[in-house]
Amino acid sequence: MININDFVKELTKNGLTFSAGVPDSLFKNLCFSFEYSFKKNHLVSANEGSAIGLGIGYHLSTKKIPIIYMQNSGLGNSINPLISLADNKVYSIPLFLIIGWRGEKNKRFIDEPQHRTQGKVTQQFLKNLGIKYKVLNSSSKYKKDIKFLKNYAKKNKKPVALLIKKNTFEDIKSKKAKKKIYPLREKLLKIILKKLPNRSNIVSTTGIISREIYENKTTKSNINHFMCVGGMGHAISVAQGIAKTSKKKIFCFDGDGALTMHMGSLSTSKNLNNLVHIVFNNFSHESVGGHDNAAKHVKFYELAKILGYKNSVVCKNEKEVLLSLKKSLKSNRNYFIEILCAKGHRKNISRPKENMIYLKNIFMKKFK
């Protein structure tokens, strides 16, 4: 496997000293290393398209090539600025993309359903965009690849990419976890699920939240649950679409990283009086390694008020969560509940075992 410190030194040696992006679990320690090594020249972006914009701005200011990192699922978010700004037929901006290859065809590693199609088309996607790329694995000659791609980007003034396979980098010891100030999310989720009315309809966001609900909804088996296993940041939009066409109360269980990615959706959800939007805020991208997110300073409940939610509160303990939930159930106006919680989850948290289409059909059948 590749030593992360040596890899970052090689990037630096080639003049690649600025990074921006959305963390990926396939190289989570590399993302931490960018933060430690580049310091002020490192930014966690709201989404992958924003990261491309940050990189373009950096190049315009310094004439240097930025590192932009993401999971391949984020290529969809990045395609607009890649094609309409960075493309060599527009402004011709050199970018050094580092992309985690989820869903690659690998007999030893069967990825989750939401990654399989993306993994299959990732290489063709890059080819269609005209992006020169190299595939990086644990035995790759990465020094040669970095130098080649950097020189190609500089000479042709075009984006290039390193496509990172699973288990490419060595693990490094993580820092000791900070003392937990707030309760763990799963503990609060269990309390909320027990208090929800029978036949409640839940839409939950990408990542650990959906998996925790999937396991713990057995405490109330007749809860109707739709998991946004992919499409990070779009759970609230899915919930809006349901709420807009129904008189039933719809609950959206969201995360701070996901909400940050497409925060503009709040301007639509504030119009729906049958929507309860619950955001668990642990100030991090937990499901991919626990990196800080771009909005750790944002008070989401205040933002929701400004954007027009009729009721918006923040909760810091179990008592406040129960009180806010009780009020939201009685209210005939929309409700936004921000819940501050600690970073962390069980290591053995399971993933859905059923086929996704089967789960969709169950949700639709129960919703009638």
Side-chain angles (χ1 to χ4, degrees):
M1 290 185 179
I2 296 172
N3 180 278
I4 286 174
N5 292 329
D6 292 342
F7 184 80
V8 174
K9 285 179 184 178
E10 197 62 29
L11 291 171
T12 303
K13 181 181 175 181
N14 281 273
L16 302 168
T17 58
F18 173 94
S19 61
V22 177
D24 176 30
S25 58
L26 290 194
F27 51 86
K28 64 181 180 182
N29 289 320
L30 178 61
C31 299
F32 281 127
S33 187
F34 286 155
E35 180 183 344
Y36 304 146
S37 302
F38 299 154
K39 296 182 172 59
K40 291 183 179 180
N41 275 346
H42 170 262
L43 289 165
V44 177
S45 61
N47 59 57
E48 295 81 3
S50 297
I52 299 295
L54 288 166
I56 291 171
Y58 170 79
H59 175 73
L60 292 175
S61 174
T62 65
K63 299 179 183 179
K64 296 180 181 179
I65 301 172
I67 297 167
I68 308 298
Y69 60 89
M70 67 184 75
Q71 187 180 110
N72 56 343
S73 61
L75 282 168
N77 283 333
S78 67
I79 188 170
N80 184 288
L82 275 173
I83 289 178
S84 62
L85 289 175
D87 190 81
N88 64 339
K89 292 182 177 62
V90 190
Y91 287 117
S92 200
I93 306 290
L95 305 169
F96 195 97
L97 309 180
I98 296 180
I99 304 169
W101 193 1
R102 293 298 302 268
E104 62 154 314
K105 192 175 181 180
N106 189 329
K107 293 180 180 179
R108 295 174 299 171
F109 173 56
I110 306 300
D111 214 328
E112 300 306 312
Q114 64 269 28
H115 296 299
R116 291 173 192 168
T117 297
Q118 181 70 61
K120 185 178 179 181
V121 304
T122 293
Q123 288 179 291
Q124 190 60 51
F125 194 93
L126 292 172
K127 290 176 183 177
N128 289 343
L129 291 173
I131 295 177
K132 180 74 73 176
Y133 72 93
K134 295 285 185 179
V135 177
L136 202 68
N137 58 39
S138 58
S139 59
S140 293
K141 296 179 179 179
Y142 67 89
K143 294 181 181 181
K144 183 179 179 181
D145 289 342
I146 290 172
K147 185 176 181 179
F148 170 80
L149 288 172
K150 187 270 295 189
N151 288 338
Y152 185 93
K154 184 178 181 180
K155 179 181 178 180
N156 296 281
K157 296 182 180 180
K158 293 179 64 176
V160 295
L162 268 179
L163 195 55
I164 311 295
K165 285 192 170 189
K166 185 178 174 66
N167 298 324
T168 291
F169 294 106
E170 292 177 353
D171 285 333
I172 57 176
K173 290 183 179 180
S174 57
K175 291 186 176 182
K176 289 183 179 179
K178 294 180 180 179
K179 186 177 180 182
K180 294 179 174 62
I181 301 173
Y182 304 112
L184 280 169
R185 179 187 54 247
E186 187 172 11
K187 182 179 181 181
L188 298 171
L189 267 173
K190 287 180 180 179
I191 292 170
I192 293 171
L193 291 173
K194 285 181 181 179
K195 294 294 181 180
L196 287 181
N198 291 332
R199 292 178 290 185
S200 290
N201 295 285
I202 297 173
V203 175
S204 61
T205 191
T206 313
I208 304 296
I209 291 177
S210 279
R211 290 161 62 186
E212 287 176 341
I213 296 174
Y214 174 78
E215 279 203 0
N216 289 294
K217 68 180 181 180
T218 52
T219 58
K220 184 164 283 186
S221 59
N222 58 350
I223 280 178
N224 198 20
H225 179 210
F226 182 81
M227 294 175 283
C228 291
V229 293
M232 184 174 171
H234 294 298
I236 183 57
S237 295
V238 173
Q240 289 169 25
I242 298 171
K244 181 68 175 178
T245 53
S246 172
K247 293 182 180 179
K248 298 178 180 180
K249 195 175 283 289
I250 308 299
F251 297 86
C252 178
F253 287 65
D254 217 342
D256 52 312
L259 180 58
T260 299
M261 188 164 279
H262 296 293
M263 208 179 295
S265 58
L266 292 178
S267 62
T268 303
S269 55
K270 56 93 176 176
N271 295 316
L272 301 167
N273 288 324
N274 58 334
L275 184 65
V276 180
H277 192 178
I278 301 174
V279 176
F280 291 90
N281 186 0
N282 61 8
F283 311 97
S284 71
H285 286 290
E286 185 183 343
S287 64
V288 292
H291 311 78
D292 288 349
N293 69 50
K296 61 179 298 184
H297 60 289
V298 174
K299 295 178 179 178
F300 290 106
Y301 75 101
E302 290 189 353
L303 179 65
K305 284 180 183 177
I306 292 169
L307 288 174
Y309 271 82
K310 304 302 185 297
N311 301 281
S312 185
V313 296
V314 62
C315 303
K316 301 176 183 178
N317 54 53
E318 295 175 30
K319 184 178 179 180
E320 291 176 355
V321 169
L322 285 170
L323 179 61
S324 297
L325 182 63
K326 186 177 180 180
K327 288 182 178 179
S328 73
L329 293 173
K330 291 181 178 179
S331 176
N332 59 359
R333 310 299 293 273
N334 57 40
Y335 236 94
F336 186 95
I337 303 174
E338 179 181 1
I339 300 176
L340 304 185
C341 56
K343 189 189 301 185
H345 62 275
R346 288 185 290 114
K347 290 183 179 180
N348 63 340
I349 189 76
S350 65
R351 296 180 183 273
K353 300 174 181 65
E354 300 89 345
N355 177 278
M356 293 294 106
I357 294 175
Y358 170 79
L359 291 176
K360 177 200 71 173
N361 291 338
I362 291 295
F363 178 84
M364 295 175 73
K365 184 177 179 180
K366 286 185 177 181
F367 190 76
K368 290 181 180 179

